[in-house]
Amino acid sequence: GKNGVPVAENFRLEQSTIADTVQAGQVRVKTLYLSVDPYMRCRMNEDTGSDYLQPWQLSEVADGGGIGVVEESKHNNLAKGDFVTSFTWPWQTVAILDGSSLQKLVPQLVNGRLSYFLGAAGITGLTALLGIREKGHVAAGANQTMVVSGAAGACGSLAGQIGRLEGCSRLVGIAGTDEKCSILVQEMGFDAAINYKKGDVAKQLRELCPGGVDVYFDNVGGDISDTVISQMNQNSHIILCGQISQYNKDVPYPPPLPPDIEKIQKERNITRERFLVLNYMDKQEASVLQLCQWIQEGKLKVRETVVEGLANIGAAFQSMMSGGNIGKQIVSVSK
């Protein structure tokens, strides 16, 4: 339902068989890792609200970002033992896939941590990097303050660090527990972090951002975003990455702002344009290499929450949607 909160019981695991024969152009793969992401909630509606996203079908195999190893190949460019990835990987332990739909991976780029290609060196990292570069207008030496909501999540935890690497001088995160706030400051280089479940968020923002907010990386929408926008500077920029607080509600995307906040946005000439990373795939290769370089140099700290076993993917989805995890949510399917 459009207004429902997803739970583990929305998913079921079935035993099935696949074809014995791999056809020309196909490969048989063993699944290693699957990505569980907030945008998938939109795929549980008949209308996803996005042209590029197809809804999951009832009683059919779900799909999303995945990584596996080739076990048998009849595709010219893929061989047994190659590690491959796809944005439409089926949630199953073994699959026969069209080889042309797969991208070959180089494990050395991420120091052998293959799952990073679903997070920091994958679509999540690309979203953070290209969102900042295309919509954030960050300039080194400009003394800019960036605020990140959902800052301990997969995208937010990377976005803050990338904002710093791109030139922001002050970085403030908003998260939902003291543990998350502590990790942001002590491990990921944020100057400060606000637990939005404690105290007055607006008051804390004023204290932590005395010069106002220049760049806002918005992952959550709702009341938190309204509070941040009210403290943004003239000609500042919102990177509209996600609105996770609104995904369980029947509202358009991006959700309209309350009239008083919309007035502030217009009066201060704050940009708030929809950002879709798939529109910038011409910059994918160079951007992934940049992310991998930062990972290898230790400049980009990566957090993952890994759940073992395909049978637990429903529970992982529920936990991710409730904001219970830190960093990227990954399901490890087979060793």
Side-chain angles (χ1 to χ4, degrees), residues 214-232:
D214 302 296
V215 184
Y216 173 39
F217 199 100
D218 185 5
N219 286 304
V220 302
D223 293 341
I224 289 174
S225 290
D226 296 344
T227 300
V228 177
I229 294 169
S230 68
Q231 298 192 33
M232 293 187 73

Side-chain angles (χ1 to χ4, degrees), residues 162-176:
I162 291 169
R164 175 81 80 201
L165 289 166
E166 291 289 285
C168 282
S169 60
R170 185 157 183 78
L171 192 59
V172 176
I174 302 174

Side-chain angles (χ1 to χ4, degrees), residues 274-323:
R274 184 170 186 170
F275 170 71
L276 178 59
V277 70
L278 299 179
N279 290 339
Y280 300 93
M281 286 298 96
D282 59 314
K283 301 180 180 180
Q284 176 184 12
E285 185 175 351
S287 298
V288 168
L289 289 174
Q290 174 66 87
L291 291 164
C292 291
Q293 181 182 335
W294 282 334
I295 291 169
Q296 290 174 343
E297 293 173 349
K299 293 179 179 178
L300 201 57
K301 309 295 183 185
V302 182
R303 275 274 186 156
E304 293 179 320
T305 300
V306 180
V307 174
E308 299 287 340
L310 185 61
N312 297 314
I313 200 166
F317 192 94
Q318 178 178 341
S319 173
M320 177 270 303
M321 285 302 298
S322 67

Side-chain angles (χ1 to χ4, degrees), residues 57-78:
Q57 299 300 313
L58 291 174
S59 295
E60 298 292 334
V61 179
D63 68 295
I67 289 172
V69 60
V70 175
E71 293 187 320
E72 181 183 349
S73 175
K74 289 190 177 178
H75 187 276
N76 292 336
N77 297 328
L78 295 173

Side-chain angles (χ1 to χ4, degrees), residues 37-217:
D37 303 282
Y39 81 86
M40 292 174 169
R41 174 61 185 84
C42 304
R43 302 191 67 186
M44 299 177 80
N45 297 335
E46 289 184 64
D47 179 4
T48 65
S50 300
D51 296 336
Y52 67 95
L53 280 181
Q54 296 300 312
W56 284 333
Q57 299 300 313
L58 291 174
S59 295
E60 298 292 334
V61 179
D63 68 295
I67 289 172
V69 60
V70 175
E71 293 187 320
E72 181 183 349
S73 175
K74 289 190 177 178
H75 187 276
N76 292 336
N77 297 328
L78 295 173
K80 183 178 179 180
D82 283 346
F83 295 105
V84 290
T85 186
S86 168
F87 193 58
T88 55
W89 196 286
W91 286 7
Q92 53 196 67
T93 55
V94 179
I96 294 177
L97 303 175
D98 180 353
S100 63
S101 70
L102 302 172
Q103 180 181 355
K104 193 187 299 188
L105 298 174
V106 182
Q108 293 87 343
L109 289 175
V110 288
N111 301 325
R113 296 292 297 271
L114 276 172
S115 58
Y116 283 11
F117 285 115
L118 293 178
I123 202 76
T124 311
L126 284 171
T127 299
L129 176 58
L130 291 172
I132 288 169
R133 286 185 172 176
E134 300 296 329
K135 300 293 184 182
H137 301 273
V138 173
N143 197 31
Q144 291 164 299
T145 294
M146 173 187 277
V147 171
V148 183
S149 58
C155 201
S157 60
L158 298 171
Q161 298 178 77
I162 291 169
R164 175 81 80 201
L165 289 166
E166 291 289 285
C168 282
S169 60
R170 185 157 183 78
L171 192 59
V172 176
I174 302 174
T177 68
D178 289 343
E179 178 193 10
K180 290 178 179 179
C181 290
S182 177
I183 288 170
L184 291 174
V185 174
Q186 296 180 15
E187 185 177 314
M188 297 185 171
F190 284 66
D191 293 291
I194 297 169
N195 181 347
Y196 70 87
K197 295 180 180 178
K198 287 184 176 181
D200 186 332
V201 175
K203 181 173 181 290
Q204 293 177 75
L205 263 181
R206 282 192 294 272
E207 292 171 352
L208 294 172
C209 307
V213 178
D214 302 296
V215 184
Y216 173 39
F217 199 100

